Amino acid sequence: MRCFLAAFCVFSTILLHLLSATTASVTRPRGVDLRNIGFYDPAKPFVCLDSKKKIDFSQVNDDYCDCEDGTDEPGTAACAVGKFFCEDSGYVSKLIPSSRVNDAICDCCDGSDEYASSTKCPNDCMERGRQMREERERMRKLVQEGQGMRQKMAEEGQVLKRDKQARLEQLEKERAELELKDEELQRRKEEAERPEKEAKEKHEKTWKDVKERLRQEKEQGEAKELFTSIDTNQNLHLEAHELAVRTEYEKLANNDGEFSEEEAKEILGEAYVTFQGFLDTVWPKLRDTFRDHAAAPADSNADPDSQEEKKSGDLDEHEESESHDDDDDDDEDDQDDVRTHAKDEDDLPMPEYDEDTKHLIEGTSIPDPLTLHASCSAAKDGALVLV
């Protein structure tokens, strides 16, 4: 763009010089733009350029504004909208407002705008032209240098881009290879861990089955205990009148303070039930109340003297037990890992893994195929052992 402007300015200057040369013999009014010289013919009336108003040519530059566009006074300050042409030969021609003509300020480099003022303007157009051309040459070289640097950087960028692209492709290839290796290692890891995992799962499932069986045995034991305690006539049938005397279960009816046989019958569902019927339908209703009642202190209302005797007897028994326990400490320590006195089967700790499973966990290979035999036995003091 700058190169284009510079070329245009040079072309304009040359054109003006050519026009000056071709019109050297033509008398033109002062301040007329060379491009409009054809409109100013002394042999013809002057026509205002915008209104087509005709005036005598002697009225051009007579210091009186006859045309509204000011074209009749290009060389004076008579028209506010007039334009004065600075030829500025050797530099850049330009138009200035006619109001600046003879205002004692040099606007044209050749001083032509102050032809009738007291100010003497030097003609320095050639010097300004030289400086302008030098500046244009400097800018041309600077732009050329910048374009060269831009081209060099673009080429370097292309090389860098190709290198980065090649590196990226290499890394993508390496990543794909590593992903394959990772998948293979993961597969081998899963294969290596599968026997251990299966052995653990089998052990845990066996233990879960054991706990479920214990829960069911506990349910049946508690249900049998309650059934027997309510079946006062021992006829193996739990009847409504037998349940009605157990007032702690009255709250399962209407909780009005009285527990009738009809209310007991509603709980039983019929006049009497066998143990199996009791276990299936009645026990789930009575279970929570039975356990709450069983968990309450049995001797909370006992005679104080009998409580004191019981406490003394318990103390003697505790001292005797401590003496006996000192002899059996070693045996008890050996069974601590599988022994529990918990009343709830969910609190029972899972027994240790068998030797084969331990070998798998520790990473020791075993020659025989993995087998896990599980059985449950009730040990002394209620301890459970999974073999």
Side-chain angles (χ1 to χ4, degrees), residues 197-208:
K197 181 180 179 181
E198 292 175 352
K200 285 184 176 180
E201 289 176 351
K202 186 174 182 180
H203 182 90
E204 292 168 0
K205 182 179 183 303
T206 302
W207 176 238
K208 183 178 179 180

Side-chain angles (χ1 to χ4, degrees), residues 160-174:
L160 184 61
K161 180 181 179 180
R162 288 194 294 269
D163 293 343
K164 294 292 185 181
Q165 187 67 32
R167 177 59 177 163
L168 178 62
E169 292 175 357
Q170 179 64 26
L171 291 175
E172 290 288 351
K173 182 179 178 181
E174 292 177 1

Side-chain angles (χ1 to χ4, degrees), residues 1 4 20 38 61 66-67 112 138 143 145 194 207 215 261 266 278 304 312 322 335-336 371:
M1 183 66 183
F4 173 76
S20 298
N61 282 340
D66 299 292
C67 299
S112 59
R138 186 186 70 82
V143 170
E145 181 181 357
R194 185 177 296 112
W207 176 238
R215 187 193 66 78
E261 289 189 21
E266 290 180 3
F278 174 82
S312 177
E322 284 185 348
Q335 299 181 13
D336 280 345
T371 57

Side-chain angles (χ1 to χ4, degrees), residues 239-310:
E239 302 171 6
H241 70 88
E242 293 175 320
L243 179 60
V245 301
R246 302 295 292 266
T247 57
E248 64 267 25
Y249 299 108
E250 190 272 338
K251 63 181 182 180
L252 300 177
N254 56 17
N255 199 21
D256 59 357
E258 296 182 1
F259 196 20
S260 64
E261 289 189 21
E262 288 299 324
E263 292 174 338
K265 185 177 180 180
E266 290 180 3
I267 295 176
L268 294 178
E270 49 189 323
Y272 67 91
V273 293
T274 62
F275 174 71
Q276 188 60 45
F278 174 82
L279 182 64
D280 294 338
T281 60
V282 182
W283 166 247
K285 302 176 183 178
L286 307 183
R287 178 174 51 209
D288 293 340
T289 303
F290 168 77
R291 289 177 177 173
D292 292 342
H293 187 72
D299 56 348
S300 58
N301 297 320
D303 183 69
D305 293 336
S306 63
Q307 291 184 14
E308 184 65 28
E309 291 176 1
K310 183 177 183 302

